[in-house]
């Protein structure tokens, strides 16, 4: 199997649900996109014409409880992280994400519905070589008691997440994840968003969580889990934070070759670390080449110099 070429979707696939914060119904359609297009959100149903926004860090306009993308005219897409995580996690490089409402549907609170849509659409390879952002030196950010760092890593992309909640039912959890489509599907793709019952009134009054329910959110009070079906993983909260990391860092625009560590983090921290990385042009470079399964031979040549190291088979199979 080869992992050197870019990928897109073979066909379109559609899901429908409600926004977890807006509570509004929305239909989302994933579809193919050209080489080097990246992920492009297309908002339909607006007055005038449809509007597009590229899924990049520069287009992030808010990170309170969700990642919101927009342009100079205002917000266009809220809660973008789960569908972006599914695309990046399943090894898709280029795709359109069309939606007729202001927020990506929450579905069951995980990326499972988007993974199923990707499976339905199918993944195809394209003629161009895949490009990566290779992290060259550590970049760290501290926000209050939250800490995030991205550093060089030879084997593809790695996420190390630690959470620490005063809520005794959640408490301290950690999860370390090496990205591959198989592991994404099995280990983090089904991990659901979570919240605390004591925060509900505050969130509602602030205009958030209007579409939240036990069908799409794991809810805890101070003594127990309130969802009758239980958890999907004992450490589901930490795994969902990994899911969010993958989605938020997909806004780099290209797959990352690096290791990301998050302590008590969230969307704001993820975005801050990514922004700090991209702002320092000595901290990264774009590499292009034939990916290999964890070998140490040179894998890319950029600007006349050989880029050594390992590009793991973490970014999707060579399918047709």
């Amino acid at each position: 199997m080869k992992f050197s070429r870019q990928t897109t979707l073979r066909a379109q696939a559609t899901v429908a649900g409600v926004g977890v914060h807006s509570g509004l119904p929305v239909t989302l359609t994933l579809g193919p996109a050209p080489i080097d297009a990246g992920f492009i959100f297309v908002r339909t149903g607006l007055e005038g014409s449809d509007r597009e926004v590229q899924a990049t860090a520069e287009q992030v306009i808010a990170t309170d409880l969700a990642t919101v993308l927009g342009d100079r005219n205002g917000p266009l897409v809220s809660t973008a992280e789960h569908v972006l995580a599914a695309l990046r996690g399943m090894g898709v490089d280029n795709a359109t994400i069309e939606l007729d409402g202001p927020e990506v549907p929450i579905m069951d609170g995980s990326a499972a519905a988007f993974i199923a849509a990707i499976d339905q659409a199918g993944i195809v390879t394209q003629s161009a070589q895949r490009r990566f952002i290779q992290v060259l030196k550590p970049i760290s950010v501290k926000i209050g008691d939250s800490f995030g760092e991205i550093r060089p890593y030879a084997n593809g992309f790695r996420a190390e997440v630690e959470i620490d909640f005063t809520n005794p039912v959640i408490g301290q959890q950690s999860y370390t994840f090496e990205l591959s489509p198989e592991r994404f599907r099995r280990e983090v793709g089904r991990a659901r968003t979570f919240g605390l019952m004591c925060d509900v009134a505050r969130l509602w009054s602030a205009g958030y969580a209007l579409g939240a329910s036990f069908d799409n959110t794991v809810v805890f009070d101070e003594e127990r889990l309130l969802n009758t079906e239980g958890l999907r993983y004992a450490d589901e909260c930490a795994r969902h934070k990994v899911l969010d990391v993958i989605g938020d860092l997909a806004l780099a625009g290209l797959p990352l070759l690096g290791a990301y560590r998050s302590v008590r983090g969230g969307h704001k921290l993820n975005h801050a670390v990514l922004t700090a990385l991209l702002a320092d042009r000595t901290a990264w470079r774009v590499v292009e080449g034939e990916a290999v399964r964890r070998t140490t031979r040179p894998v890319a040549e950029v600007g006349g110099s050989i880029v050594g190291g390992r590009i793991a088979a973490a970014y999707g199979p060579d399918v047709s």
Side-chain angles (χ1 to χ4, degrees):
M1 298 175 71
K2 295 181 179 179
F3 301 83
S4 57
R5 291 188 290 163
Q6 293 182 34
T7 63
T8 190
L9 300 176
R10 182 190 302 275
Q12 291 186 329
T14 298
V15 301
V18 300
V20 68
H21 292 304
S22 67
L24 297 174
V26 59
T27 298
L28 179 148
T29 300
L30 298 176
I35 288 167
D36 292 334
F39 304 137
I40 304 169
F41 284 94
V42 182
R43 269 295 310 276
T44 66
L46 299 168
E47 292 185 7
S49 60
D50 299 343
R51 288 163 62 187
E52 295 185 359
V53 60
Q54 193 78 27
T56 62
E58 292 82 1
Q59 303 306 127
V60 173
I61 63 173
T63 53
D64 294 326
L65 300 180
T67 296
V68 182
L69 306 177
D71 58 21
R72 60 186 179 183
N73 295 315
L76 283 174
V77 179
S78 179
T79 321
E81 58 271 10
H82 296 171
V83 68
L84 291 175
L87 289 165
R88 179 65 75 223
M90 295 302 293
V92 179
D93 294 291
N94 306 304
T96 58
I97 310 159
E98 180 180 301
L99 66 166
D100 62 2
E103 187 177 14
V104 172
I106 191 61
M107 309 310 290
D108 71 347
S110 76
F114 304 120
I115 295 171
I118 292 169
D119 289 341
Q120 178 186 337
I123 302 175
V124 294
T125 54
Q126 299 172 292
S127 60
Q129 292 284 303
R130 176 173 279 140
R131 297 181 300 145
F132 302 82
I133 290 177
Q134 181 185 39
V135 180
L136 301 177
K137 70 179 186 182
I139 295 290
S140 62
V141 172
K142 193 173 190 300
I143 303 175
D145 62 354
S146 300
F147 173 81
E149 178 187 52
I150 192 162
R151 63 184 189 273
Y153 184 65
N155 290 343
F157 179 74
R158 175 184 175 96
E160 305 161 1
V161 168
E162 302 173 33
I163 62 175
D164 185 4
F165 281 78
T166 56
N167 178 282
V169 188
I170 300 175
Q172 296 180 330
Q173 299 179 23
S174 63
Y175 199 77
T176 298
F177 178 76
E178 302 270 352
L179 179 61
S180 73
E182 296 78 14
R183 291 192 66 176
F184 180 82
R185 183 193 298 273
R186 182 177 67 248
E187 297 181 26
V188 301
R190 295 180 63 250
R192 297 162 294 175
T193 192
F194 61 95
L196 304 176
M197 182 58 73
C198 62
D199 291 334
V200 169
R202 175 179 59 83
L203 292 172
W204 284 347
S205 64
Y208 293 109
L210 302 179
S213 71
F214 290 116
D215 293 327
N216 57 42
T217 306
V218 177
V219 184
F220 301 89
D221 66 12
E222 291 299 315
E223 298 179 350
R224 68 191 190 283
L225 169 71
L226 300 181
N227 302 66
T228 57
E229 75 275 18
L231 294 171
R232 293 176 177 176
Y233 314 92
D235 50 4
E236 187 167 1
C237 296
R239 294 187 190 221
H240 184 79
K241 287 289 189 178
V242 171
L243 176 69
D244 283 344
V245 162
I246 294 168
D248 287 339
L249 297 190
L251 295 166
L254 295 172
L256 287 167
L257 300 178
Y260 178 74
R261 181 174 176 233
S262 167
V263 180
R264 302 183 187 90
H267 302 298
K268 188 179 297 295
L269 180 70
N270 298 339
H271 179 62
V273 174
L274 179 58
T275 300
L277 171 71
L278 297 177
D280 186 346
R281 285 300 283 112
T282 69
W284 58 276
R285 61 182 166 187
V286 175
V287 296
E288 177 181 286
E290 182 176 2
V292 294
R293 280 190 180 274
R294 303 185 185 278
T295 64
T296 56
R297 65 179 176 85
V299 297
E301 185 172 353
V302 179
S305 62
I306 297 297
V307 179
R310 307 171 184 177
I311 300 180
Y315 296 99
D318 192 349
V319 294
S320 59

